[in-house]
PDB file of all heavy atoms in Angstrom:
ATOM      1  N   ALA A  97     -27.392   6.553  20.029  1.00  0.00           N
ATOM      2  CA  ALA A  97     -27.759   5.465  20.984  1.00  0.00           C
ATOM      3  C   ALA A  97     -28.707   6.080  21.995  1.00  0.00           C
ATOM      4  O   ALA A  97     -29.701   5.490  22.348  1.00  0.00           O
ATOM      5  CB  ALA A  97     -26.492   4.808  21.504  1.00  0.00           C
ATOM      6  N   ALA A 126     -25.760  -1.169  24.301  1.00  0.00           N
ATOM      7  CA  ALA A 126     -26.574  -2.284  24.901  1.00  0.00           C
ATOM      8  C   ALA A 126     -27.989  -1.881  24.968  1.00  0.00           C
ATOM      9  O   ALA A 126     -28.396  -0.650  24.745  1.00  0.00           O
ATOM     10  CB  ALA A 126     -25.998  -2.612  26.270  1.00  0.00           C
ATOM     11  N   GLY A 252     -24.160  19.857  14.681  1.00  0.00           N
ATOM     12  CA  GLY A 252     -24.105  21.210  14.253  1.00  0.00           C
ATOM     13  C   GLY A 252     -22.912  21.629  13.362  1.00  0.00           C
ATOM     14  O   GLY A 252     -22.816  22.793  13.043  1.00  0.00           O
ATOM     15  N   ARG A 267     -25.396   4.216  -0.084  1.00  0.00           N
ATOM     16  CA  ARG A 267     -25.540   3.917  -1.426  1.00  0.00           C
ATOM     17  C   ARG A 267     -24.463   2.997  -1.965  1.00  0.00           C
ATOM     18  O   ARG A 267     -24.680   2.018  -2.771  1.00  0.00           O
ATOM     19  CB  ARG A 267     -25.693   5.142  -2.335  1.00  0.00           C
ATOM     20  CG  ARG A 267     -25.762   4.888  -3.810  1.00  0.00           C
ATOM     21  CD  ARG A 267     -26.051   6.152  -4.656  1.00  0.00           C
ATOM     22  NE  ARG A 267     -26.010   5.775  -6.075  1.00  0.00           N
ATOM     23  CZ  ARG A 267     -26.265   6.678  -7.051  1.00  0.00           C
ATOM     24  NH1 ARG A 267     -26.393   7.919  -6.731  1.00  0.00           N
ATOM     25  NH2 ARG A 267     -26.106   6.286  -8.353  1.00  0.00           N
ATOM     26  N   ASP A 271     -24.896  -0.271  -4.136  1.00  0.00           N
ATOM     27  CA  ASP A 271     -24.578  -0.070  -5.602  1.00  0.00           C
ATOM     28  C   ASP A 271     -23.225   0.499  -5.698  1.00  0.00           C
ATOM     29  O   ASP A 271     -23.076   1.741  -6.076  1.00  0.00           O
ATOM     30  CB  ASP A 271     -25.652   0.782  -6.235  1.00  0.00           C
ATOM     31  CG  ASP A 271     -25.492   0.899  -7.697  1.00  0.00           C
ATOM     32  OD1 ASP A 271     -24.632   0.169  -8.368  1.00  0.00           O
ATOM     33  OD2 ASP A 271     -26.054   1.842  -8.284  1.00  0.00           O
ATOM     34  N   PRO A 272     -22.133  -0.138  -5.558  1.00  0.00           N
ATOM     35  CA  PRO A 272     -20.780   0.405  -5.550  1.00  0.00           C
ATOM     36  C   PRO A 272     -20.477   0.955  -6.971  1.00  0.00           C
ATOM     37  O   PRO A 272     -19.830   2.002  -7.051  1.00  0.00           O
ATOM     38  CB  PRO A 272     -19.904  -0.785  -5.202  1.00  0.00           C
ATOM     39  CG  PRO A 272     -20.680  -2.003  -5.374  1.00  0.00           C
ATOM     40  CD  PRO A 272     -22.094  -1.564  -5.056  1.00  0.00           C
ATOM     41  N   ARG A 282     -18.771  13.587 -11.317  1.00  0.00           N
ATOM     42  CA  ARG A 282     -18.482  14.814 -10.688  1.00  0.00           C
ATOM     43  C   ARG A 282     -17.018  15.294 -10.838  1.00  0.00           C
ATOM     44  O   ARG A 282     -16.750  16.447 -10.904  1.00  0.00           O
ATOM     45  CB  ARG A 282     -18.793  14.689  -9.185  1.00  0.00           C
ATOM     46  CG  ARG A 282     -20.286  14.404  -8.972  1.00  0.00           C
ATOM     47  CD  ARG A 282     -20.722  14.537  -7.522  1.00  0.00           C
ATOM     48  NE  ARG A 282     -22.166  14.249  -7.364  1.00  0.00           N
ATOM     49  CZ  ARG A 282     -22.901  14.694  -6.373  1.00  0.00           C
ATOM     50  NH1 ARG A 282     -22.354  15.418  -5.417  1.00  0.00           N
ATOM     51  NH2 ARG A 282     -24.163  14.361  -6.266  1.00  0.00           N
TER      52      ARG A 282
END
Side-chain angles (χ1 to χ4, degrees):
R267 177 174 174 181
D271 181 16
R282 296 194 181 199

